[in-house]
Amino acid sequence: MRITAGDVAALERGVALLGSGGAGDTVTAAVLLRRLLSGSGSLGVSPVAELAPTAWVVPIGVVGATAAFTEKLPGGDEFASAVAAIERWTGERADALMSIEIGGLNGLLPLVVADQLGLGYVDADLSGRGLPRLDQFSVAATGRGVAPAALAEPGGQVVVLAAGSDVVIERGTRAFLAGSGGWAAFALAPIPARELASCSVCGTTSGALELGRRVLAVGESPPREALEAALDGTVLARGRVLEVARHVGPGQHGSPGFGRGSVTLADHRDGSLLRLEMENEYLLALRDGAPVASTPDVLSVLDHRTGVPVNCDAIRVGVEVDVVRLAAAPFWTDPRRLPVLEPRAYGIDCDPVGLR
């Protein structure tokens, strides 16, 4: 598969939807990708099955406060430094890159990096959606582990977290980010291509592109049935946001908690109240107090008129929205991995709801 400048709008819409209200704003990364493709013409994206079994694939992405990324733009060397650091540490040279997370910012930016570094790009990621924590990546869920990991921040600092449990790597990463500007380029140890099918979510870039194409094709303010067909999902509610409440959530692993909150809207269809519980992403939907959808399914909020996804940090009272559910990647509905992303993984005492 090759991605051209004409595909950027659809890919951006797809990764924004899969961000589930989080994973960072896509606008800056889309501008960078368009600029790159206007000069190079296209970028190749290779399916996992077509890679040489011995090819080394390095997962990369931005970690930290993605809002800070647009305020403190990269100098251009951060990803090269992170990849070089993990190559030196492991003794293996990268043949290709993949994203740590298809949702949001990281669904686009690694494509730009792959071209800059002259490396191939793989149609897979470690999340299948937007995720808040490193210890929730697919490599953690399958027992492969996150360590070693390299981080390079805009001020020039580069660190390698050489060993430790997934929780320890998550905690160490947050500590580094707190003192280094809020975000960093991140690279994990190279993974042999023959092992990717068992420890990653495959086909996510092509899937996000196709999702975005279908959604853009139905236009603005589409009928409910047309939107559901485009999403291959469900419109949970369509109405005006009545209330947005925010607070600090429970901490993880001895660290302060992420911001938490809830969004309440009245469904125009029947007057019922839909409440969304959110952290970095939308996590749980309740209709008149009864759970109707939850993580690991992807919950997303769309501006009703434009269809543009509205992130958790941008949702406001008075906006007309569509709340939609997209099915989780089959990787996450496996009973062995479900506990990593079910509501209780976020401190919400609720079983997963509505999985298919």
Side-chain angles (χ1 to χ4, degrees):
M1 179 181 77
R2 300 199 68 83
I3 294 176
T4 68
D7 294 322
V8 175
L11 183 58
E12 181 184 8
R13 181 61 56 88
V15 301
L17 280 161
L18 293 171
S20 195
D25 183 68
T26 59
V27 173
T28 301
V31 169
L32 294 173
L33 185 56
R34 280 193 186 91
R35 181 174 298 175
L36 169 66
L37 293 172
S38 66
S40 65
S42 65
L43 283 172
V45 178
S46 300
V48 169
E50 293 183 4
L51 299 173
T54 56
W56 291 101
V57 182
V58 172
I60 64 166
V62 171
V63 293
T66 50
F69 180 84
T70 58
E71 299 172 1
K72 189 175 184 180
L73 292 171
D77 298 327
E78 293 87 355
F79 281 100
S81 297
V83 172
I86 205 68
E87 287 178 330
R88 287 194 302 271
W89 189 264
T90 61
E92 302 293 348
R93 297 282 295 178
D95 297 305
L97 302 178
M98 63 185 287
S99 178
I100 59 173
E101 178 184 45
I102 191 61
L105 171 68
N106 284 321
L108 301 174
L109 192 60
L111 285 159
V112 178
V113 176
D115 182 81
Q116 291 174 339
L117 299 186
L119 296 171
Y121 192 79
V122 179
D123 189 9
D125 79 308
L126 304 184
S127 304
R129 47 162 296 149
L131 292 178
R133 305 198 314 264
L134 310 184
D135 58 334
Q136 292 179 308
F137 286 164
S138 60
V139 287
T142 56
R144 183 182 183 87
V146 178
L151 298 104
E153 57 91 28
Q157 295 184 82
V158 180
V159 300
V160 175
L161 303 177
S165 69
D166 300 328
V167 170
V168 167
I169 299 301
E170 162 70 16
R171 186 188 301 145
T173 298
R174 300 299 164 187
F176 175 74
L177 294 170
S180 60
W183 73 268
F186 183 77
L188 292 181
I191 301 172
R194 63 178 175 272
E195 299 178 16
L196 282 177
S198 63
C199 67
S200 69
V201 186
C202 297
T204 47
T205 298
S206 57
L209 177 58
E210 180 58 29
L211 172 64
R213 284 171 173 163
R214 295 196 308 265
V215 172
L216 290 179
V218 300
E220 297 184 349
S221 304
R224 181 187 296 259
E225 295 77 11
L227 182 57
E228 289 184 332
L231 294 168
D232 190 22
T234 306
V235 176
L236 297 173
R238 174 170 280 180
R240 186 181 300 275
V241 175
L242 302 177
E243 180 183 61
V244 179
R246 303 184 189 275
H247 58 89
V248 177
Q252 290 284 343
H253 318 311
S255 301
F258 292 118
R260 271 281 174 78
S262 62
V263 178
T264 303
L265 64 145
D267 192 339
H268 291 336
R269 179 175 51 180
D270 56 13
S272 62
L273 294 180
L274 189 87
R275 189 174 88 242
L276 286 170
E277 295 296 320
M278 60 184 179
E279 192 177 78
N280 289 13
E281 291 81 27
Y282 299 111
L283 303 174
L284 176 68
L286 305 100
R287 184 183 304 279
D288 291 337
V292 292
S294 76
T295 176
D297 277 353
V298 176
L299 304 179
S300 194
V301 176
L302 314 182
D303 182 286
H304 174 63
R305 185 182 65 82
T306 66
V308 174
V310 183
N311 281 355
C312 296
D313 60 356
I315 191 76
R316 297 291 185 268
V317 171
V319 180
E320 290 279 346
V321 298
D322 296 332
V323 179
V324 301
R325 176 181 64 197
L326 289 77
F331 181 96
W332 291 117
T333 57
D334 186 313
R336 298 169 296 175
R337 301 161 188 159
L338 185 57
V340 177
L341 293 192
E342 68 180 2
R344 288 190 177 87
Y346 299 86
I348 299 174
D349 188 16
C350 178
D351 293 326
V353 183
L355 301 183
R356 60 182 171 119

